[in-house]
Amino acid sequence: MEDKLVDYAAERAVLTGIYSYGESAYLDVADIIQQNTTFHLDINQAIYKCFEHLIEKRECKTLDQSSLMSAANELGLSFIFEKPDDLAHTRSILTGQVRQENLRYLAARVRKLNVARLLKDQLSFAITDIEKVDGSESVDRIISIAENAVFDFSSLLNRSEGDADPKL
């Protein structure tokens, strides 16, 4: 089944842009992207983590395949070069083309879809609570189940984002 809350092409384009344009592209989107959650695909999260490591820890201004392979080995993420499907996916990122001026828009799109997935998950917990309603609760209590889920999600999102603004 196709997941409607993900844009695989946008995820790939953001990574392609960072690989192609290096530190300047990374810095342009780093406030939007959260490597452990933003990307839907695990391999995209791993590739981003390698880019982040190269740029922030090794202070690389530009990226290349050898550095990426080295970072993947260092971080225990060498799987991105092992299985044929993962290797093909990684190669598509390294050989793709995207205009640098489109990266921030694409990163914001990826992040907004991530926020929607997170909210969907949070609301599914509220649905579980709503299904426990037996009719003895007040209407206000029933409505508060949904409200609390949204408020809890909002505060969770604000804590994890800091100053990032996915409203671009």
Side-chain angles (χ1 to χ4, degrees):
M1 185 170 90
E2 183 182 333
D3 190 344
K4 294 181 183 190
L5 296 178
V6 65
D7 184 340
Y8 296 111
E11 285 192 14
R12 191 170 38 254
V14 169
L15 294 171
T16 294
I18 294 170
Y19 181 78
S20 299
Y21 303 109
E23 182 186 45
S24 66
Y26 171 79
L27 293 174
D28 197 28
V29 300
D31 64 328
I32 298 171
I33 301 296
Q34 296 179 334
Q35 63 104 356
N36 289 328
T37 61
T38 301
F39 293 105
H40 184 68
L41 294 177
D42 291 341
I43 189 168
N44 289 345
Q45 291 175 18
I47 292 169
Y48 183 81
K49 189 172 187 172
C50 291
F51 291 168
E52 181 181 57
H53 177 76
L54 288 168
I55 293 167
E56 290 193 5
K57 304 291 188 273
R58 289 196 192 168
E59 300 178 359
C60 294
K61 303 289 184 203
T62 59
L63 302 175
D64 58 70
Q65 186 173 349
S66 296
S67 296
L68 177 60
M69 291 174 80
S70 174
N73 284 330
E74 259 181 71
L75 298 171
L77 301 171
S78 59
F79 75 89
I80 65 176
F81 293 104
E82 292 172 356
K83 291 193 237 169
D85 287 346
D86 291 341
L87 180 58
H89 180 80
T90 302
R91 278 193 182 140
S92 75
I93 288 169
L94 305 186
T95 60
Q97 294 182 4
V98 64
R99 299 181 67 83
Q100 188 169 1
E101 58 266 20
N102 294 332
L103 288 183
R104 192 150 176 89
Y105 163 79
L106 292 165
R109 179 174 173 73
V110 169
R111 179 65 179 137
K112 288 180 216 177
L113 289 168
N114 168 249
V115 169
R117 288 191 306 271
L118 293 171
L119 179 58
K120 180 182 174 185
D121 290 346
Q122 187 71 22
L123 292 175
S124 71
F125 294 126
I127 289 170
T128 301
D129 290 342
I130 289 170
E131 289 173 343
K132 294 176 184 173
V133 169
D134 63 12
S136 65
E137 302 83 359
S138 68
V139 171
D140 288 342
R141 172 66 190 118
I142 296 169
I143 292 171
S144 75
I145 294 170
E147 288 176 339
N148 289 340
V150 172
F151 291 140
D152 291 348
F153 174 75
S154 180
S155 66
L156 174 72
L157 191 62
N158 288 335
R159 273 196 312 270
S160 68
E161 283 189 347
D163 294 331
D165 184 6
K167 294 180 245 169
L168 300 173

